[in-house]
Amino acid sequence: MLRYKLKELTAEKEFRERRRVTVQEIAEATGITRNTLSKMLNQHGASVRSENLDRLCAYFVCRIEELVEYVPDPVNADGGLTD
């Protein structure tokens, strides 16, 4: 599963710029809908277009590995993957 580190990058930007950064501001600056950003913030493994990842990397001035992290799915007791 992919984990998006949008909260962490937003917090770092807020600290650096000493101001609040809203989801609306990110949406307006990147052209990504608030709905898509909310999914990235709140839904584990949300599907996101590579174009949106590119826009977020440009906005936060970061590399893709600073925005996205691969997290292996946990294995349940009988050896199968959990949902």
Side-chain angles (χ1 to χ4, degrees):
M1 160 175 44
L2 296 178
R3 181 177 86 83
Y4 303 105
K5 299 188 264 185
L6 199 52
K7 288 180 184 176
E8 293 93 328
L9 289 171
T10 301
E12 289 173 15
K13 185 173 181 69
E14 288 178 337
F15 181 79
R16 257 192 336 271
E17 297 180 6
R18 293 187 170 103
R19 64 183 187 86
R20 178 116 168 92
V21 176
T22 65
V23 172
Q24 182 64 35
E25 177 184 337
I26 297 169
E28 290 172 0
T30 61
I32 301 170
T33 66
R34 289 185 58 181
N35 188 42
T36 298
L37 292 169
S38 291
K39 282 182 184 177
M40 292 178 74
L41 287 164
N42 302 310
Q43 188 179 42
H44 294 289
S47 178
V48 178
R49 295 172 43 190
S50 60
E51 177 183 342
N52 290 338
L53 297 175
D54 184 56
R55 290 176 181 184
L56 287 168
C57 285
Y59 177 76
F60 287 109
V61 190
C62 69
R63 298 171 51 121
I64 190 72
E65 56 268 19
E66 295 173 273
L67 175 64
V68 181
E69 175 184 20
Y70 172 72
V71 179
D73 288 326
V75 178
N76 64 23
D78 67 358
L81 294 177
T82 61
D83 291 335

